[in-house]
Amino acid sequence: MQIREGPARRPAPAAAGALRSPMSAMMLAMFATMASFYVAGRLWQDAQNRVYLIKELDRRTGQGQSVISVDDTLKVVACRQQGKRLASLEMELAAAKHEGFVGKYSPETNGTHSRKKPLIVIGIMSSFGRKNYRDAVRKSWLPTGSMLKKLEEEKGIVVRFIVGRSANRGDTFDREIDDENRSTKDFLILDDHIESDEELPKKTKSFFANAAETFDAAFYAKVNDDIYINVDTLSAMLETHWDKPRVYIGCMKSGEVFSDSTHKWYEPEWWKFGDGKSYFRHASGEMFVISRAVAQFISINRSVLRTYAHDDVSVGSWMIGLAVKHVNEAKLCCSSWPSGLSA
């Protein structure tokens, strides 16, 4: 009797998977290895590219390090944006002025208090031992007490006597000035300046710097203590210069540079003014006026501004290299004083 054999049985799925697993693992391992080589190759290539770019940049710039960082780049972009914004504002301001919107002296409101931005700060150059001159000014054109305050509030004219400190700080000279100031309240004492006749140019520079930091005025004037001022005429004259952001007003002159050390107007650095020995055009030292932008420039750069033997020449030398409008104002010349600003 024959026994028929049935059809051969197929292996179970689990058994088939077990037979294929070595092959699959091998394929996955090969694929992972190739992927690792590919990623490593790309990273190495990127690194080589960066090295090449850095070397090429160093070769072209001659520097051994990156010329600009991300932070520096952001700063440059920010500065450019601010520059564009400033240029836009300047154009808007110019257009406004063209339409007639020119600044005028007027009250400004600060919170609940009304205040006036000063039209001008007048610094009267004085020194120790010149109280008689100061009293003469107070009796002639400079009001005192409440009237001085009224001049500031109603006309925007701030007037101060300018005095430095004694070389022997706190001595009799300093105490006399402090006592006088407590009584009159019309001084601007320069604590950073040692009072000396030879240091008048530095004193004038210190005055403009301190005045610009203390008072937010439109103009600043330097005046000698033997000059008479008609404040109404001065105000009217300044009103014609509101549209000039950088202005230098005075009785413009030029003259000989004296190299003789015995001469009253001797200039120790005469050789800097050329073979012709003639000063450049500058405002006479009795009185001259500068606008706020110019005073701020002096304040910012006081440590590097060169002074010469005379304050008018020193200030004139600072104006030479600036985009400043020189105004030759006849009212500030000696010949016009009897009917102009001084009498």
Side-chain angles (χ1 to χ4, degrees), residues 54-211:
I54 292 174
K55 288 183 177 180
E56 185 67 12
L57 186 60
D58 291 342
R59 182 182 68 80
R60 295 189 179 188
T61 61
Q63 298 180 1
Q65 57 183 0
S66 179
V67 295
I68 185 167
S69 65
V70 175
D71 290 339
D72 290 337
T73 303
L74 293 176
K75 291 178 182 178
V76 170
V77 172
C79 288
R80 288 176 178 173
Q81 291 176 343
Q82 291 178 359
K84 291 179 180 179
R85 178 58 179 162
L86 179 60
S88 175
L89 291 174
E90 289 178 345
M91 292 177 64
E92 292 177 7
L93 177 61
K97 288 183 176 180
H98 181 71
E99 294 296 328
F101 295 96
V102 181
K104 296 294 182 182
Y105 173 64
S106 59
E108 293 184 357
T109 302
N110 182 12
T112 58
H113 301 282
S114 178
R115 64 181 178 85
K116 287 186 176 181
K117 179 178 178 178
L119 169 66
I120 185 171
V121 175
I122 302 175
I124 306 173
M125 294 295 151
S126 191
S127 61
F128 304 134
R130 294 183 68 88
K131 187 176 185 300
N132 291 339
Y133 285 84
R134 293 191 291 272
D135 288 340
V137 170
R138 294 181 182 116
K139 292 177 181 178
S140 57
W141 65 271
L142 178 61
T144 58
S146 61
M147 297 304 293
L148 178 63
K149 191 69 174 177
K150 186 177 180 180
L151 179 67
E152 297 177 8
E153 294 178 349
E154 295 186 359
K155 296 187 177 182
I157 299 177
V158 178
V159 185
R160 296 290 187 271
F161 289 104
I162 311 302
V163 179
R165 285 299 188 182
S166 171
N168 301 313
R169 186 63 65 93
D171 63 5
T172 303
F173 293 119
D174 279 351
R175 291 196 298 271
E176 288 178 350
I177 293 296
D178 289 337
D179 291 342
E180 185 178 348
N181 187 36
R182 277 191 289 270
S183 173
T184 60
K185 295 180 176 59
D186 55 7
F187 279 84
L188 176 58
I189 300 175
L190 305 176
D191 289 320
D192 60 348
H193 176 76
I194 302 300
E195 191 67 38
S196 171
D197 292 339
E198 294 77 19
E199 299 295 340
L200 180 58
K202 293 181 180 179
K203 180 178 179 179
T204 301
K205 178 171 64 173
S206 179
F207 157 63
F208 282 128
N210 282 277

Side-chain angles (χ1 to χ4, degrees), residues 3 18-19 46 76 94 133 151 170 173 186 220 237 245 253 270 311:
I3 300 174
L19 292 174
D46 290 343
V76 170
Y133 285 84
L151 179 67
F173 293 119
D186 55 7
Y220 302 82
M237 183 267 289
K253 66 174 186 177
W270 55 268
D311 67 332

